[in-house]
C-alpha cells in the first residue's frame, strides 16, 4: 500500500527519501515520487514503476523533502497521478495515504473557484485546499483544509512559503514521526526510519504535527495542543536486511524457529504447566467471565484465528467464532459484553480490521489485539493483547507472522485452559511440547532441498487442491493462499471431508492434491478421503508424521514432519506449505517478495 517518507535536517533530502521509500517497497506500489527544497527552490521527480537512482534524482537538491510510493486507487497508474501533488502555483506539495471520500465535490467546488487540476487523484484536492486557506501559516492552512475532508489520510505537506517545516497529519492511516539529532523524519511505517533513528512519536487520529529540523509540535484538528511522548522502537536494523537469502520470504521462513522462541519467551512455565500473557491486562477472574471468543482478521491472520478457535475450544471449551473483518463491520454484531474479541493482524494497520475493531469497541465489547508491530494502530487502540515479537516481516506473503500468531494463540489457549478444564499434567504436556517446537520446525527446514525437488515435479500444474481436517484445515487454506499469491497458480482448499461434496469432480491426473495428514485423531478419516482421490488418478503430495512409512506406496510424494500434540501440528505442517509455494514461485521466476497486485499492509477498505 502507499508509503510516505519525509525529511528535514542537514543532509541531502533526496537520498534519504529514496532510501526510505525503498525500505517501504515491500508494502507494494506502482509508482513513486519525491519533492525537495533548497533555497526556497522546489524540485521533484515522479515515475511509474520501481524506484531507481535515475538521472532525474541528481537534480533534486535541498535538505527538506517528502516522498511517496503510490498504490493506485483514484486514477490510473501514471506519472501525473504519482505523488507528490501540487497546488496551481506549485508552492504547496502534498503526499497522502488513504482515501478522500468527498473529493469529487471538493474538486468541483475548487474548479469553480478557478483552481486548475493536473491529476485524477483524490489527493490533489488537498494541495488546492491548502493553497486556498493559506494565510501566512502552513499548519493552520492544512488544519483548515482537513476540516473539509471526509475519509482517511496520513499526509505530509511542505511549502516554498515556509521552507523550514513539514506539516504531517493523520486520520485512519498510519503515520509516525522520527526524532533525530538536528534532523527529523516523517513516515508511514517505522521500517523507513530504521537506519536513522529509533526515537519516534505516534500521532493519534485527528492530529497534526509541525516538524522542523530541531523540534515538533502537535495539535488536534480543533487546534488544541497535545503532548506526545517520544518512544523507542526496539527492532534491530539487521532484521530488515536480506542477508544471504535470495528473498525476504525465504529468510523469514527460516527465521521461524527463533520466532517461536521469541513468542514463548517468559510466557510459558513447563514445570507448572502454566502460561501467562501479561499484556492481556485481564485478571484470572475477568478471563473466567469470558463466555465467547470472536477472532476478527483478514487473509493469513484470519487462518491463524481459525487455528486459535480450534485450540481454545479444545483446551478451554469456550465457544469461538472467526469473522472476516471486512464482513463483520457490515453485519449485526450478535455478541455482547460477555464476549472477548481478538483482532489478529501482523501489521496492526489493516483498514478492514481497524474498522471492525472500532465498530466492536463502539458497542462496549472488550477487544484485544494480536500484532507484530509495536506502536501500530491496533496495538495502541486495543485494551491489551499480545505482541508476537517476530521482527519486521518484509515479504508480502505472510509466513513468520502466521507462525508467531499461532504460537501466541497456543499460549492463550493454555492460559485459558489451565483456568478452566486442563489438568496440571495436560498443561505441562502442552507447555513442554511448545518448547520443543523450534527444533521440530528446524527439522522440517532441513528438508528444504527435498521440498524444492518435489516443487520441481509439480511445477507445470495449473491447479491444486489442498486438503486437511480439523487443526489442519486452516493450514490447507493457508497453503493454497501462499501458492496463489506468490506463484499466481490457482489453488483451492477444502476440509478433506467436504471434498466428496463437489470438488472431487475436478480431479484427474492433471489436478494434484496436497494432503495434510499427520497421525492424529482424524488420520483414518482423512486417509479415506485420500483413497477417493487415488481412485480418480489424482496425484498426491502428502504431509504426514515421521515414521508413517506405509503411505509411500500409495502417494506420489511425502514430506515428513516430527510428531507433536495434535493442537500444535499447524506450527509444523505449515512449514512445507510455505516452502512448496516458495520454490514453485522461485522456479517460475516470480517477484516473490512483491507479488503483483498485492500490498503488505492493506490500508484501504
Ligand atoms: C497473505 C497476507 C495477507 C494478510 C492480510 C492481513 O500472505 O499476508 O492475507 O495476512 O492482508 O494483514 P495483517 O495481518 O497485517 O492485518
Amino acid at each position: 500500500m502507499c508509503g510516505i517518507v519525509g525529511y528535514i535536517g542537514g543532509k541531502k533530502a533526496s537520498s534519504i527519501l529514496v532510501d526510505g521509500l525503498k525500505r517501504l517497497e515491500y508494502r507494494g506500489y506502482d509508482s513513486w515520487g519525491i519533492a525537495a527544497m533548497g533555497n526556497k527552490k522546489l524540485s521533484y521527480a515522479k515515475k511509474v514503476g520501481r524506484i531507481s537512482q535515475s538521472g532525474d534524482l541528481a537534480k533534486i537538491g535541498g535538505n527538506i523533502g517528502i516522498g511517496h510510493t503510490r498504490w493506485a486507487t483514484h486514477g490510473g497508474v501514471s506519472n501525473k497521478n504519482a505523488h507528490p501533488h501540487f497546488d496551481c502555483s506549485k508552492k504547496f506539495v502534498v503526499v497522502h495515504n488513504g482515501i478522500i471520500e468527498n473529493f469529487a465535490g471538493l474538486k468541483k467546488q475548487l474548479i469553480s473557484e478557478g483552481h486548475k487540476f493536473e491529476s485524477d487523484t483524490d489527493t490533489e484536492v488537498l494541495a488546492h485546499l491548502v493553497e486556498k486557506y493559506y494565510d501566512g501559516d502552513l499548519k493552520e492552512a492544512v488544519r483548515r483544509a482537513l476540516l473539509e475532508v471526509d475519509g482517511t489520510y496520513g499526509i505530509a505537506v511542505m511549502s516554498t512559503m515556509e521552507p523550514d517545516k513539514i506539516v504531517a497529519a493523520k486520520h485512519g492511516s498510519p503515520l509516525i514521526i522520527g526524532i533525530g539529532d538536528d534532523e527529523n523524519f516523517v513516515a508511514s511505517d517505522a521500517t523507513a526510519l530504521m537506519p536513522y533513528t529509533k526515537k519516534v512519536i505516534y500521532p493519534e487520529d485527528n492530529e497534526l504535527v509541525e516538524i522542523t529540523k530541531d523540534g515538533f509540535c502537535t495539535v488536534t484538528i480543533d487546534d488544541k495542543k497535545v503532548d506526545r511522548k517520544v518512544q523507542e522502537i526496539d527492532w534491530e536494523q539487521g532484521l530488515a536486511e536480506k542477508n544471504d537469502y535470495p528473498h525476504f520470504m525465504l529468510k523469514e521462513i527460516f527465521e521461524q524457529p527463533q520466532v517461536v522462541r521469541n513468542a514463548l519467551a517468559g510466557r510459558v512455565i513447563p514445570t507448572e504447566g502454566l502460561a501467562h500473557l501479561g499484556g492481556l491486562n485481564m485478571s484470572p477472574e475477568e478471563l473466567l467471565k469470558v463466555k465467547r471468543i470472536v477472532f476478527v482478521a483478514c487473509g493469513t491472520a484470519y487462518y491463524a484465528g481459525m487455528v486459535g478457535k480450534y485450540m481454545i475450544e479444545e483446551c478451554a471449551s469456550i465457544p469461538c467464532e472467526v469473522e472476516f473483518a471486512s464482513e463483520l463491520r457490515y453485519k449485526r454484531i450478535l455478541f455482547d459484553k460477555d464476549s472477548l474479541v481478538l483482532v489478529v493482524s501482523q501489521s496492526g494497520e489493516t483498514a478492514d480490521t481497524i474498522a471492525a475493531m472500532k465498530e466492536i469497541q463502539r458497542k462496549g465489547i472488550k477487544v484485544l489485539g494480536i500484532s507484530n508491530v509495536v506502536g501500530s494502530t491496533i496495538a495502541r487502540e486495543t485494551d491489551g493483547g499480545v505482541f508476537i515479537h517476530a521482527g519486521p516481516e518484509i515479504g508480502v506473503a505472510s509466513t513468520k507472522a502466521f507462525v508467531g500468531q499461532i504460537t501466541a494463540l497456543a499460549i492463550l489457549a493454555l492460559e485459558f485452559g489451565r483456568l478452566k478444564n486442563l489438568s496440571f499434567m495436560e498443561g505441562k504436556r502442552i507447555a513442554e511440547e511448545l518448547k520443543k517446537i523450534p527444533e521440530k520446525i528446524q527439522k522440517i527446514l532441513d528438508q528444504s532441498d527435498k521440498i524444492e525437488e518435489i516443487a520441481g515435479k509439480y511445477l507445470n500444474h495449473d491447479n491444486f487442491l489442498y486438503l486437511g481436517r480439523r487443526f489442519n484445515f486452516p493450514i490447507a487454506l493457508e497453503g493454497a493462499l501462499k501458492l496463489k499469491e506468490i506463484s499466481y497458480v490457482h489453488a483451492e482448499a477444502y476440509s478433506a471431508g467436504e471434498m466428496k461434496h463437489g470438488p472431487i469432480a475436478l480431479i484427474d491426473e492433471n489436478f494434484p492434491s496436497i494432503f495434510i495428514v499427520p497421525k492424529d485423531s482424524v488420520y483414518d478419516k482423512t486417509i479415506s478421503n485420500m483413497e477417493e482421490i487415488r481412485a480418480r488418478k489424482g496425484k498426491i503430495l502428502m504431509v504426514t508424521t515421521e515414521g508413517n512409512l506405509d503411505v509411500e506406496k500409495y502417494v506420489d510424494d511425502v514430506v515428513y514432519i516430527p510428531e507433536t500434540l495434535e493442537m500444535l501440528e499447524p506450527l509444523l505442517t505449515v512449514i512445507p506449505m510455505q516452502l512448496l509455494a516458495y520454490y514453485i514461485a522461485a522456479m517460475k521466476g516470480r517477484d516473490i517478495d512483491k507479488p503483483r497486485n498485492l500490498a503488505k499492509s492493506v490500508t484501504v477498505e
Side-chain angles (χ1 to χ4, degrees):
M1 211 77 350
C2 306
I4 288 179
V5 185
Y7 174 77
I8 179 161
K11 300 186 185 124
K12 189 174 178 195
S14 62
S15 309
I16 291 176
L17 298 179
V18 167
D19 178 62
L21 291 179
K22 284 186 165 210
R23 286 171 195 282
L24 297 183
E25 278 192 315
Y26 73 94
R27 295 169 66 108
Y29 67 105
D30 45 50
S31 53
W32 63 282
I34 62 169
M37 287 188 303
N39 301 325
K40 284 196 162 194
K41 192 175 159 299
L42 176 80
S43 37
Y44 67 93
K46 312 206 246 183
K47 286 222 164 10
V48 167
R50 285 279 145 88
I51 298 164
S52 60
Q53 287 286 355
S54 67
D56 292 8
L57 291 180
K59 306 197 293 260
I60 301 184
N63 307 122
I64 163 171
I66 54 181
H68 188 266
T69 46
R70 175 172 190 252
W71 192 76
T73 55
H74 293 69
V77 179
S78 63
N79 286 351
K80 76 170 183 182
N81 287 336
H83 298 212
H85 289 288
F86 306 93
D87 66 306
C88 305
S89 55
K90 290 218 165 49
K91 286 188 182 133
F92 300 95
V93 195
V94 178
V95 292
H96 164 226
N97 286 357
I99 292 176
I100 307 296
E101 276 160 13
N102 59 338
F103 91 99
L106 290 170
K107 186 168 177 175
K108 201 164 160 211
Q109 174 66 26
L110 286 160
I111 289 172
S112 75
E113 291 167 10
H115 290 262
K116 300 260 180 308
F117 279 74
E118 285 184 359
S119 77
D120 312 315
T121 64
D122 52 338
T123 302
E124 196 182 342
V125 296
L126 287 172
H128 291 276
L129 283 172
V130 174
E131 177 184 32
K132 172 173 165 177
Y133 288 118
Y134 187 75
D135 190 14
D137 180 346
L138 182 63
K139 175 159 62 68
E140 180 57 14
V142 174
R143 192 182 74 78
R144 289 193 61 193
L146 293 177
L147 286 173
E148 305 241 336
V149 155
D150 292 333
T152 54
Y153 53 79
I155 57 167
V157 185
M158 60 179 200
S159 170
T160 52
M161 307 297 286
E162 297 180 40
D164 59 345
K165 67 184 63 152
I166 295 173
V167 176
K170 156 176 167 54
H171 180 72
S173 296
L175 194 80
I176 181 169
I177 312 297
I179 312 297
D181 293 331
D182 290 329
E183 58 181 5
N184 288 316
F185 306 80
V186 52
S188 50
D189 180 326
T191 318
L193 307 181
M194 267 183 190
Y196 306 107
T197 182
K198 285 185 171 176
K199 291 197 190 120
V200 295
I201 63 159
Y202 297 105
E204 301 265 321
D205 277 353
N206 295 317
E207 287 180 5
L208 290 88
V209 192
E210 185 179 77
I211 308 150
T212 57
K213 173 162 122 10
D214 35 37
F216 66 91
C217 144
T218 308
V219 296
T220 63
I221 191 119
D222 307 321
D223 208 15
K224 300 207 174 67
K225 199 165 177 320
V226 266
D227 280 331
R228 288 267 155 249
K229 285 208 174 57
V230 176
Q231 305 185 26
E232 285 243 340
I233 304 176
D234 63 0
W235 285 352
E236 283 169 29
Q237 156 72 18
L239 284 174
E241 307 290 350
K242 234 188 296 177
N243 298 336
D244 288 334
Y245 288 93
H247 298 99
F248 277 110
M249 182 176 173
L250 192 62
K251 173 179 175 255
E252 288 161 5
I253 291 172
F254 274 82
E255 278 170 12
Q256 292 178 115
Q258 191 55 39
V259 166
V260 175
R261 282 186 203 105
N262 290 353
L264 291 175
R267 291 167 166 174
V268 172
I269 316 162
T271 49
E272 312 279 327
L274 290 175
H276 180 59
L277 290 162
L280 301 183
N281 299 331
M282 286 174 81
S283 65
E285 293 71 33
E286 287 171 310
L287 289 172
L288 278 167
K289 283 194 192 131
V290 173
K291 297 278 174 293
R292 188 194 326 209
I293 293 179
V294 184
F295 293 94
V296 179
C298 302
T300 289
Y302 175 91
Y303 300 146
M306 284 177 77
V307 176
K309 167 186 158 74
Y310 285 111
M311 286 173 166
I312 290 176
E313 289 182 346
E314 178 90 352
C315 291
S317 301
I318 302 172
C320 298
E321 285 156 48
V322 196
E323 296 273 3
F324 285 117
S326 51
E327 289 288 322
L328 186 70
R329 194 184 175 199
Y330 299 100
K331 58 187 235 191
R332 273 183 195 278
I333 291 184
L334 296 178
F335 40 90
D336 55 22
K337 297 200 169 84
D338 289 341
S339 306
L340 176 65
V341 173
L342 289 170
V343 290
V344 188
S345 173
Q346 186 285 129
S347 62
E349 300 294 354
T350 299
D352 285 321
T353 314
I354 292 172
M357 170 186 83
K358 291 195 168 155
E359 192 54 41
I360 299 159
Q361 286 173 326
R362 211 167 282 131
K363 308 249 175 330
I365 298 165
K366 183 143 186 126
V367 181
L368 302 181
I370 297 184
S371 175
N372 189 29
V373 182
V374 178
S376 61
T377 303
I378 287 176
R380 282 182 288 118
E381 297 192 8
T382 41
D383 303 316
V386 190
F387 285 116
I388 60 172
H389 299 304
E393 190 179 64
I394 306 293
V396 162
S398 190
T399 51
K400 65 174 179 173
F402 181 71
V403 159
Q405 286 157 354
I406 302 178
T407 309
L409 290 168
I411 303 170
L412 186 64
L414 178 57
E415 180 162 0
F416 263 118
R418 287 288 276 126
L419 284 171
K420 299 193 70 168
N421 308 4
L422 288 182
S423 68
F424 162 67
M425 285 312 286
E426 285 169 320
K428 198 162 172 298
R429 202 98 204 266
I430 295 171
E432 283 170 355
E433 219 19 67
L434 266 169
K435 289 276 183 189
K436 291 184 196 151
I437 291 293
E439 73 201 57
K440 294 187 176 180
I441 293 180
Q442 189 57 52
K443 268 186 106 174
I444 306 169
L445 293 172
D446 291 344
Q447 302 175 58
S448 60
D449 287 351
K450 179 181 169 196
I451 298 171
E452 184 173 11
E453 202 178 295
I454 293 174
K457 288 168 70 178
Y458 289 80
L459 187 59
N460 294 322
H461 288 284
D462 297 327
N463 300 289
F464 287 81
L465 192 59
Y466 282 70
L467 298 158
R469 285 185 112 136
R470 267 193 109 207
F471 287 98
N472 287 302
F473 170 41
I475 301 307
L477 290 159
E478 172 61 4
L481 178 64
K482 286 290 91 88
L483 186 68
K484 277 185 271 219
E485 62 185 339
I486 61 167
S487 70
Y488 319 146
V489 170
H490 170 240
E492 52 183 306
Y494 272 85
S495 156
E498 276 297 294
M499 186 257 317
K500 59 187 173 296
H501 297 289
I504 196 165
L506 295 166
I507 299 300
D508 63 16
E509 59 275 24
N510 297 316
F511 203 128
S513 301
I514 316 291
F515 264 94
I516 308 162
V517 205
K519 278 269 194 180
D520 59 20
S521 68
V522 285
Y523 180 79
D524 291 336
K525 287 280 171 228
T526 319
I527 291 292
S528 314
N529 304 138
M530 214 160 78
E531 291 298 341
E532 290 153 11
I533 297 269
R534 262 177 22 101
R536 281 143 190 101
K537 298 198 172 54
K539 265 194 175 175
I540 294 174
L541 162 58
M542 181 184 189
V543 173
T544 191
T545 312
E546 43 185 38
N548 188 16
L549 301 174
D550 291 352
V551 295
E552 289 189 4
K553 29 185 194 298
Y554 303 115
V555 299
D556 298 273
D557 295 283
V558 195
V559 175
Y560 291 105
I561 58 151
E563 192 179 358
T564 188
L565 295 179
E566 186 162 345
M567 69 172 260
L568 301 182
E569 282 167 3
L571 288 164
L572 304 183
T573 50
V574 74
I575 311 293
M577 300 300 112
Q578 298 168 341
L579 286 170
L580 182 72
Y582 173 82
Y583 288 121
I584 290 181
M587 287 173 206
K588 285 182 178 288
R590 304 298 193 221
D591 193 355
I592 292 184
D593 285 334
K594 297 175 214 103
R596 68 185 183 199
N597 307 336
L598 291 178
K600 181 65 187 163
S601 97
V602 184
T603 49
V604 291
E605 281 179 50

